[in-house]
Amino acid sequence: MRAPEAMKLALLSESPADEAAISILVGYVLGAPFTRVQPTLRARGWPSVEQVLPAILRHLHFNTEADGLIVVVDSDDSVVHTPQHEAPAYHHPGCRICRLRTVFRRTLKNLPLNAAHPAPATSAHPRIRRERVLRAVGLAVPAMEAWYLCGRDTSITEAAWTQGQAAGRVPYTRSELKWRVYGTERPTLPHEIKRAVQEVTRHQGDLLRLEHDFPQGFGSLARDLRSWRAESGH
Amino acid sequence: MISAVHFKDFKALRSTAVRLEPFNLLIGPSGSGKTSLIEALLRLRYLAGQAPAPGPASALAFLNGPQIEFHFHPPFENVRVTLGCQADELSCHRLRVDHPPGLAGARQWAELRTQLHGIRAYLLDHQAMGAPVLRSAGTELATNASNLAAVLAQRAQQAPVAFAHLVADFCRIMPEFSGLDFRGVGEGHVELRAALRDSPEHLSCENLSQGTLYLLAILTLAHDPQPPTLLCLEEADRGVHPRLLREVRDALYRLSYPVATETTRPVVQVIATTHSPYLLDLFRDHPSEIVLAHKQGNAATFERLSERPDILELMRETNLGDLWYSGILGGIPGD
Ligand SMILES: [Zn+2]
C-alpha cells in the first residue's frame, strides 16, 4: 500500500522565528511530515494578520495545492479565548481566535468548492484533496516566548496570565519574557530563531505540558490540527 | 553620551527639546528638524574640537541669538555645553562649556571632548559606493560611504575576525552571495566584489543593487571594531526591502545595545531617521525609542512616542506604521 502523500500546509505568523517554532510544533501534533506551501507568507503583526487573511485564503484556494492554513498570533493584551467562546454562533469581538475563525468562515463560505486545480490530474496528483482550505488557529498568550518557556518556568501559563488580566496586574510583560528567553529585549533574528527552535524541540514526543499550560491558545491549534487527520484521511 | 538637546531659535526648532536614548528613531516630514538635530550634533563635534574661545565667559553671552544646549549622561551629567551666537550672527558658531570647578571638572570636559570627537553622521550614496576607490582611503567610512571598498579591504587585513563576522552576516541576510573580495584596479585603487553563491561569478560593487550596497554599509558600521561614539544615519530604510528592515534595525541595535557575549564594544548612541512605516512597525515594543518630529507652520517640535499614552492605547489594535501614516501620531507633512 502506498504511504499517504504528505499534507501541504501554509503557515502565517508574525516573524520568521515564530514560523520556525510553529512549524516544528505542527509536525509534533500531526505526527507526520508535511510540506510547506508558499513558505514566504508573513504578516506585519496582529492587525495586519486579520486584514491580509482573506486575500491569503483566496490565494491558497485558487492558486495552490495547500490543504490547510495555520495561523498563530500573539494575544498581547487582548481577551484570551475561553471554552465559553466555543458555544455555537458565539463570537467574542475582543478575542483574536474568535476573530480569525470568523475571517476563515466568512472568506471560505464565499469561495467555490473544489476549485479548479492549477495542476492537471496525473497519477502523482490524482485530484485536489480538499474542498476548502482547512483552518488551524492558535494564540500565543501573551506572546510566543511564553510557549518557549513552558516546562522551564512554571509561573508562565495561560491561567496565570488571564488571572492577572482580571486582577488588573499582569504577572509578566512581553519584555520580561524576552529577557528570559533571549537574555536581551533586542535579540538578533538568528538568535531569536535559534532559541525558539531549541525551546520548542523540548516538547518533542510530549505536548501534554504545552496543552495543559496553554489549553486555549495552544490547545485550539492542536485540536484544529488533529481534526484535519479525520477530514483529510491522514 | 548625550542625554538631551534643548533648542531655541535654531532654524525651525524655535523652542523644543529632545531627550536621547541609546537608540533613537526619528520620524517626521521634511523640515521638521530631524536633519537640524543631526546638524547640531555635528556642529557640537566641530566646536568642541576647536581651541576654546579666549576671554572671559561674559564675552560669550549669546544675547538673543539661536541657542542649542546639550546635556549628558553620567559620568558627564554635570557638564553642560551650549552652542550659540548673537542675534545678528548667522549660525551657532560659539561654544560655552559649564563644568564643575577645579581639575576634576576640567578633566571631565577633556574626556567628554574626546567622546564628542567621535560623533559621525551618514547619508549613504550608492552611486558613490559603486566606484573603485583609493586603497589608502580606508581608515574610516566616509559620510556617504564612498570609500566602502577601501574601508572593508583595510578591515579584512587589520581586523580579520570583525571582517569575517560582517561577511557572515551579509551572506546570511543575502543568501545569493557567498563572500566578499577585493580586486586591485588602476593605480592604488581597490574595488569591492561580492561572490555569487551558485556561480563562479563575482558582482562588482557597481553592479550590486542599491539595497545591497546600503545594507553592506550599515553592516560595515555595525561591525566596526572602533565605532563612533554617536552615530547618525539618515534614511536608514533607504533602498532596503521591507522584509529586510528587521536586519537594519538589528544591525543598529548591535551598536547601541552590544550584547555582552558578542562584543566588548562601548555603547554607541544611535540616531536614525526614516520615512518607512514598515521600519517604524518594528519598534512596537520600544516606543521610548521613537521620536516624533512635528512641524506646525514654520515651527518644529520633538516628542517621544512613549509620552503619548493615547497612542500606546491605540497600538493595541493598529500597527505603529499605520498610525503614523493615518496622521494620528503627527509627524506628517502639512500638519
Ligand atoms: Zn474566543
Side-chain angles (χ1 to χ4, degrees), chain A residues 61-64 112-119 128 130:
Chain A
H61 183 83
F62 288 114
N63 305 330
T64 76
L113 292 184
N114 258 329
H117 202 288
I128 329 160
R130 44 91 175 154

Side-chain angles (χ1 to χ4, degrees), chain A residues 71-72 96-97 100-101 104 135-139 217 220-221 224:
Chain A
V71 183
V72 179
R96 293 181 181 177
I97 287 189
L100 290 171
R101 286 181 179 178
F104 264 94
R135 177 206 82 193
V137 174
L139 183 73
S220 295
L221 175 71
D224 278 352

Side-chain angles (χ1 to χ4, degrees), chain A residues 81 85 95 98:
Chain A
H81 194 70
H85 298 190
C95 165
C98 287

Side-chain angles (χ1 to χ4, degrees), chain A residues 25-26 28-30 83 139 146-147 150-151 156-159 203 205-227 229:
Chain A
L25 290 172
V26 167
Y28 294 165
V29 177
L30 291 174
L139 183 73
W147 290 4
C150 175
I156 295 173
T157 63
E158 253 174 32
H203 300 289
D206 184 11
L207 293 167
L208 281 179
R209 185 66 196 249
L210 204 45
E211 287 193 73
H212 177 267
D213 290 355
F214 297 88
Q216 298 309 318
F218 182 75
S220 295
L221 175 71
R223 288 188 287 276
D224 278 352
L225 289 170
R226 289 187 185 121
S227 74
R229 287 194 288 216

Side-chain angles (χ1 to χ4, degrees), chain A:
Chain A
M1 203 177 79
R2 215 159 57 98
E5 208 179 321
M7 289 192 91
K8 297 185 172 72
L9 305 181
L11 206 161
L12 178 65
S13 66
E14 301 180 37
S15 88
D18 293 3
E19 257 169 53
I22 295 161
S23 177
I24 291 170
L25 290 172
V26 167
Y28 294 165
V29 177
L30 291 174
F34 61 91
T35 318
R36 284 278 294 278
V37 179
Q38 198 81 35
T40 51
L41 288 179
R42 184 89 36 81
R44 297 160 50 209
W46 159 248
S48 88
V49 173
E50 192 181 30
Q51 286 153 12
V52 79
L53 185 54
I56 287 177
L57 279 170
R58 290 183 67 88
H59 169 70
L60 293 175
H61 183 83
F62 288 114
N63 305 330
T64 76
E65 296 182 311
D67 295 306
L69 171 64
I70 298 145
V71 183
V72 179
V73 295
D74 290 349
S75 76
D76 304 321
D77 304 321
S78 66
V79 173
V80 176
H81 194 70
T82 71
Q84 287 72 48
H85 298 190
E86 297 284 347
Y90 186 90
H91 164 97
H92 193 299
C95 165
R96 293 181 181 177
I97 287 189
C98 287
R99 283 169 66 163
L100 290 171
R101 286 181 179 178
T102 303
V103 176
F104 264 94
R105 195 169 51 245
R106 286 198 186 135
T107 310
L108 296 180
K109 193 175 69 186
N110 295 322
L111 296 177
L113 292 184
N114 258 329
H117 202 288
T122 63
S123 56
H125 291 285
R127 61 189 173 86
I128 329 160
R129 300 185 308 186
R130 44 91 175 154
E131 291 184 323
R132 288 198 170 109
V133 174
L134 298 167
R135 177 206 82 193
V137 174
L139 183 73
V141 178
M144 285 297 292
E145 285 78 12
W147 290 4
Y148 304 161
L149 290 165
C150 175
R152 260 194 205 294
D153 187 336
T154 51
S155 71
I156 295 173
T157 63
E158 253 174 32
W161 180 261
T162 47
Q163 281 158 18
Q165 267 188 326
R169 198 175 56 224
V170 292
Y172 34 81
T173 63
R174 283 173 64 96
S175 296
E176 283 162 7
L177 294 178
K178 279 184 188 281
W179 263 106
R180 293 188 212 179
V181 176
Y182 311 115
T184 164
E185 281 176 46
R186 297 172 184 80
T188 62
L189 191 52
H191 183 56
E192 205 175 311
I193 292 174
K194 188 177 120 196
R195 291 289 300 124
V197 169
Q198 272 174 350
E199 292 298 349
V200 297
T201 309
R202 284 189 292 113
H203 300 289
Q204 181 166 22
D206 184 11
L207 293 167
L208 281 179
R209 185 66 196 249
L210 204 45
E211 287 193 73
H212 177 267
D213 290 355
F214 297 88
Q216 298 309 318
F218 182 75
S220 295
L221 175 71
R223 288 188 287 276
D224 278 352
L225 289 170
R226 289 187 185 121
S227 74
W228 291 4
R229 287 194 288 216
E231 286 197 48
S232 66
H234 278 73

